[in-house]
């Protein structure tokens, strides 16, 4: 089949982007003709797939999304596309990969009535409704059962349209046989002494991931502990908005921005703790990647995959409603707790005894089944 994969922006360090590429690759490997439609593409282009850059003129994000949708509809018209798989919400999708939270829920519970009169709201609300409305036929791939309940609540979406995906982390994240050697080499490269602690944040979108919360937590440590604790931030985003906070908290020597990187497994092995105090997160692939690599995790419970930290007994959760004091105290405890070796051991064992790796195959199965069924119906 000739399949269209729709995503606004591709860059190699985003969780959604990695899921997108792994599913597209699985479909390509099954013999399908893959055509990718994006507003922009960063990094190497995948072999055996056609990447189409969609031209738009609008300057606002919602305007660009509107123009993108109009443009791809025209591009599909004469291209013989058999099915459209979307990774952003928009009308006309056969299958939607739900990696984002419910826009309508956020608009009604976190925004004012005035916001709901804006053009931005009207656009995103309409595009979300086009996917989840009970009148829609779009099949939905979800990462957590919680999102099924939320979307059903706001749109009455039929439950049989949802398909819960297993996690889909790469097996390369599992703790390797030479893990101790990799850790030693990493810490030597970055000048980390045996008694020093490296706290890691991984993810693009620093504000959503809770970088401000993480900085406050580092600053709250006792002076002697703070002096020996360093926050490494790996992700593709602009650090400038946080520089003032870093200076105000006197953390200039404790914080290191490393942009997006392809060697994240080395950081997982070289670190002492993953901190992920996100404001919201549909899933959080890095949580599982950390668990199976033996890196203890401190995470807010709003993340879709946060329950795996408890399931694996590989770290601690910060409960809702969020309190900075709880994050601060749990960070201080985890950095000095004797349980660190237990958290590490538990996580590694959890990764070896649970299926956390089959998402792309499962998603491709649903895509093929959906499009085969729709073809047969017509």
């Amino acid at each position: 089949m000739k399949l269209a994969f729709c995503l606004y922006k591709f860059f190699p360090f985003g969780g959604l982007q990695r899921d997108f590429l792994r599913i597209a690759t699985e479909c390509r490997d099954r013999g399908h003709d893959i055509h990718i439609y994006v507003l922009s593409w960063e990094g190497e282009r995948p072999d055996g797939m056609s990447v189409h850059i969609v031209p738009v003129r609008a300057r606002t994000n919602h305007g660009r999304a509107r123009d993108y949708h109009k443009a791809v509809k025209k591009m599909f018209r004469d291209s013989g596309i058999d099915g459209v798989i979307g990774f952003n919400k928009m009308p006309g999708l056969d299958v939607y990969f739900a990696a984002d939270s419910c826009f309508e829920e956020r608009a009604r519970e976190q925004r004012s009535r005035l916001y709901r009169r804006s053009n931005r709201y009207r656009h995103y609300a309409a595009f979300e409704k086009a996917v989840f409305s009970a009148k829609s036929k779009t099949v939905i791939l979800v990462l957590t059962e919680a999102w099924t309940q939320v979307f059903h609540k706001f749109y009455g979406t039929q439950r049989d349209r949802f398909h819960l995906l297993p996690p889909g982390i790469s097996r390369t994240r599992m703790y390797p046989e030479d893990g101790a050697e990799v850790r030693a080499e990493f810490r030597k490269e970055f000048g980390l002494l045996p008694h020093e602690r490296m706290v890691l944040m991984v993810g693009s979108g620093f504000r959503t991931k809770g970088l401000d919360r993480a900085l406050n937590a580092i600053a709250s440590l006792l002076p002697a502990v703070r002096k020996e604790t360093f926050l490494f931030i790996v992700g593709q985003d602009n650090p400038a908005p946080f520089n003032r906070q870093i200076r105000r908290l006197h953390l200039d020597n404790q914080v290191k921005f490393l942009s997006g990187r392809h060697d994240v497994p080395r950081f997982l092995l070289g670190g002492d703790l993953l901190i992920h105090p996100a404001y919201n997160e549909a899933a959080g692939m890095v949580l599982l990647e950390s668990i199976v690599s033996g890196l203890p995790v401190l995470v807010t419970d709003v993340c879709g995959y946060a329950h795996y930290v408890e399931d694996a007994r590989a770290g601690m959760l910060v409960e809702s409603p969020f309190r900075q004091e709880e994050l601060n105290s749990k960070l201080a405890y985890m950095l000095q707790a004797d349980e660190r070796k237990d958290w590490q051991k538990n996580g590694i064992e959890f990764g070896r005894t649970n299926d956390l790796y089959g998402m792309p195959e499962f998603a491709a199965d649903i895509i093929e089944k959906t499009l085969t069924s729709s073809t047969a119906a017509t």
Side-chain angles (χ1 to χ4, degrees):
M1 288 184 287
K2 189 174 184 178
L3 304 181
F5 277 69
C6 294
L7 175 72
Y8 291 151
K9 297 179 180 179
F10 180 89
F11 54 96
F13 307 112
L16 170 62
Q17 286 72 18
R18 285 190 287 159
D19 287 339
F20 163 88
L21 190 56
R22 293 184 68 199
I23 295 171
T25 299
E26 176 65 24
C27 289
R28 179 204 64 191
D29 292 347
R30 296 185 181 199
H32 300 296
D33 182 11
I34 308 301
H35 289 257
I36 296 171
Y37 297 84
V38 292
L39 290 170
S40 62
W41 184 282
E42 296 180 26
E44 294 183 7
R45 298 193 180 190
D47 294 333
M49 305 184 205
S50 300
V51 177
H52 307 270
I53 305 299
V54 180
V56 298
R57 293 185 177 182
R59 294 186 177 182
T60 63
N61 286 336
H62 67 272
R64 289 169 63 81
R66 176 200 62 220
D67 291 354
Y68 169 93
H69 179 249
K70 289 180 179 179
V72 294
K73 281 182 63 178
K74 292 180 180 179
M75 297 170 79
F76 294 161
R77 197 167 295 158
D78 301 316
S79 60
I81 293 293
D82 296 302
V84 181
I85 300 93
F87 290 74
N88 299 103
K89 300 164 188 169
M90 64 187 73
L93 301 178
D94 293 295
V95 179
Y96 170 63
F97 182 90
D100 196 10
S101 58
C102 180
F103 174 79
E104 191 65 32
E105 179 187 46
R106 298 198 309 271
R108 293 192 175 275
E109 297 183 1
Q110 301 176 21
R111 300 280 190 153
S112 67
R113 290 185 178 182
L114 184 63
Y115 172 75
R116 296 199 294 273
R117 296 179 183 177
S118 67
N119 289 333
R120 184 182 189 278
Y121 166 77
R122 283 193 285 268
H123 166 81
Y124 287 118
F127 270 37
E128 182 170 271
K129 185 177 181 180
V131 174
F132 292 96
S133 166
K135 296 180 180 179
S136 171
K137 295 182 179 180
T138 301
V139 169
I140 303 154
L141 306 177
V142 290
L143 299 171
T144 65
E145 178 61 30
W147 291 127
T148 298
Q149 299 173 15
V150 171
F151 286 115
H152 177 76
K153 171 185 174 182
F154 280 91
Y155 295 102
T157 317
Q158 299 90 335
R159 292 189 180 273
D160 62 0
R161 287 169 52 202
F162 291 97
H163 297 270
L164 180 63
L165 296 174
I169 62 173
S170 171
R171 292 184 181 275
T172 62
R173 270 32 178 186
M174 296 175 68
Y175 189 83
E177 292 184 2
D178 63 345
E181 291 80 1
V182 174
R183 175 178 172 84
E185 291 174 3
F186 175 91
R187 294 179 72 87
K188 181 179 179 181
E189 176 184 338
F190 285 94
L192 292 167
L193 299 176
H195 65 278
E196 293 177 331
R197 293 285 180 257
M198 190 266 270
V199 178
L200 179 65
M201 276 196 75
V202 178
S204 301
F206 296 156
R207 190 172 301 280
T208 302
K209 304 301 183 189
L211 177 54
D212 59 329
R213 294 171 168 179
L215 292 172
N216 286 331
I218 295 292
S220 74
L221 296 170
L222 293 173
V225 178
R226 185 173 66 234
K227 183 180 179 181
E228 298 177 348
T229 303
F230 301 89
L231 177 64
F232 281 31
I233 304 159
V234 178
Q236 188 164 313
D237 202 351
N238 180 15
F242 298 93
N243 287 336
R244 180 179 298 179
Q245 182 184 5
I246 290 170
R247 290 192 296 269
R248 176 171 55 81
L249 296 173
H250 306 291
L251 295 177
D252 304 71
N253 297 325
Q254 313 303 123
V255 178
K256 189 176 185 67
F257 288 98
L258 293 130
S259 191
R261 297 178 66 105
H262 293 285
D263 59 345
V264 170
R266 294 177 64 236
F267 284 81
L268 299 178
L269 294 172
D272 297 287
L273 172 74
L274 180 88
I275 188 169
H276 196 83
Y279 284 82
N280 62 76
E281 180 87 74
M285 188 185 300
V286 71
L287 305 180
L288 279 169
E289 293 177 334
S290 298
I291 289 170
V292 304
S293 67
L295 181 64
V297 177
L298 175 59
V299 59
T300 44
D301 65 359
V302 298
C303 300
Y305 285 167
H307 69 90
Y308 284 109
V309 177
E310 286 193 324
D311 295 346
R313 294 176 292 120
M316 302 182 75
L317 271 58
V318 178
E319 298 179 357
S320 297
F322 175 81
R323 294 185 303 110
Q324 184 68 49
E325 295 78 10
E326 182 183 357
L327 178 67
N328 297 352
S329 63
K330 287 185 173 178
L331 173 64
Y333 174 79
M334 291 187 71
L335 287 175
Q336 302 178 76
D338 294 333
E339 296 171 68
R340 183 184 182 281
K341 290 185 178 180
D342 291 333
W343 289 325
Q344 180 185 41
K345 179 182 176 181
N346 293 342
I348 293 171
E349 181 64 20
F350 189 78
R352 291 173 177 168
T353 56
N354 289 268
D355 181 14
L356 309 173
Y357 314 97
M359 182 273 289
E361 294 85 356
F362 188 97
D365 288 344
I366 298 299
I367 290 169
E368 290 180 329
K369 181 179 178 181
T370 298
L371 298 178
T372 300
S373 299
S374 63
T375 301
T378 56

